Amino acid sequence: MRLLSTQQRMRNERMVPSVLALCSTSRESEAQGGNTFHLFANFGYYMLESARYLGAKQLFEAAVSIVRRVAPDQPQTIARSLNSLAETLRVLGDFVGAETLHQESLSIWRESTPAEHADLVRCLNNLALLYQGQGRLSDARRAFEECLTLLDSSSPQDLSAQGICLNNLAETLRLAGDYVTAEAMYQKALTALQEHCLREQVQPEHHPDILTLQNNLATTYELRADYERSEEH
């Protein structure tokens, strides 16, 4: 999530009605092409981050339509736009629509980037989260495991991304009732994030992902009736 100053937020809020009005006027937006794409994409992110999902959906749909038309030779820009719209649809509960867009975005990344490319991993992770939210835990596990394989092959290794992906895989395993393996994945995730904090000179006890991990680990201990270790976290 991008941090905006109070002044930036106030400016954005003043512009939202005009941007949405322009978005609903397809003839004008198509005439302006690339500039309008960036306007819609940026305000789509703003609306998504402020939990105004229907507005975000409207803007991202327009952005995808424009970029397909004006920049067919920029597949990565198209893929990022598809991913943003897919994530918005996932939040809105349109899992079928979200999966279709994630799959298209993933296909573009596989064809246009190295296997360990950060955007490819991010797209695959988002697809796995979609599967997890639908209860398709076997599909989610396979996708998270592929993410980890790609991250392991990258150089230098992104320990933050590894930690988050390991946590997501652990959550999937916990939901499937495999508490022992889930615990092992949580511990690996914790180690990766702690190493990341050492590299970045960040205090681990203040890192939000580590706090989330510790809570997830405590929940797993409770499910295993290991109350003593649960209290430690």
Side-chain angles (χ1 to χ4, degrees):
M1 181 178 291
R2 296 165 297 174
L3 297 178
L4 299 178
S5 67
T6 301
Q7 185 176 5
Q8 287 173 315
R9 289 190 177 278
M10 291 176 63
R11 183 192 63 192
N12 282 356
E13 286 301 323
R14 289 194 297 269
M15 291 182 64
V16 163
S18 299
V19 174
L20 289 174
L22 177 61
C23 184
S24 64
T25 310
S26 59
R27 181 177 302 175
E28 291 183 20
S29 64
E30 288 181 3
Q32 294 185 37
N35 291 333
T36 308
F37 160 74
H38 291 293
L39 178 69
F40 289 170
N42 289 336
F43 272 85
Y45 290 123
Y46 177 69
M47 298 290 277
L48 182 61
E49 290 171 359
S50 56
R52 286 175 282 184
Y53 302 121
L54 291 176
K57 176 176 179 285
Q58 180 183 356
L59 290 165
F60 283 137
E61 284 177 338
V64 167
S65 176
I66 292 171
V67 75
R68 285 188 192 275
R69 180 176 54 82
V70 304
D73 58 340
Q74 298 179 30
Q76 295 181 11
T77 303
I78 294 172
R80 289 191 184 97
S81 302
L82 290 168
N83 186 69
S84 299
L85 178 55
E87 281 298 282
T88 305
L89 294 180
R90 179 177 67 84
V91 173
L92 287 169
D94 182 0
F95 298 133
V96 174
E99 180 177 359
T100 299
L101 294 175
H102 274 316
Q103 292 285 9
E104 183 179 356
S105 178
L106 185 60
S107 177
I108 293 172
W109 287 120
R110 290 191 192 280
E111 293 174 1
S112 64
T113 63
E116 69 277 9
H117 193 279
D119 282 297
L120 189 157
V121 174
R122 188 177 300 111
C123 182
L124 187 59
N125 182 75
N126 288 341
L127 180 60
L129 288 172
L130 174 65
Y131 290 149
Q132 186 189 81
Q134 291 178 281
R136 296 165 58 181
L137 301 181
S138 295
D139 290 333
R141 178 174 181 171
R142 281 192 293 271
F144 284 133
E145 287 175 341
E146 183 180 352
C147 281
L148 288 171
T149 298
L150 297 177
L151 288 168
D152 286 343
S153 66
S154 65
S155 180
Q157 290 192 338
D158 186 339
L159 292 173
S160 177
Q162 282 183 331
I164 292 170
C165 191
L166 283 163
N167 176 69
N168 291 338
L169 174 58
E171 281 290 278
T172 301
L173 293 167
R174 181 177 64 81
L175 291 169
D178 186 353
Y179 303 135
V180 174
T181 311
E183 179 189 340
M185 291 299 107
Y186 282 132
Q187 293 288 4
K188 286 185 178 181
L190 195 56
T191 298
L193 288 175
Q194 287 170 339
E195 290 183 11
H196 167 73
C197 287
L198 287 174
R199 284 186 184 179
E200 300 298 321
Q201 298 182 331
V202 175
Q203 292 297 321
E205 59 269 23
H206 298 153
H207 196 291
D209 291 325
I210 288 181
L211 295 175
T212 299
L213 257 171
Q214 290 173 333
N215 181 69
N216 291 341
L217 195 53
T219 300
T220 304
Y221 289 144
E222 289 176 4
L223 290 168
R224 295 182 60 190
D226 190 346
Y227 300 113
E228 182 177 348
R229 296 177 73 185
S230 173
E231 291 176 358
E232 293 176 359
H233 291 270

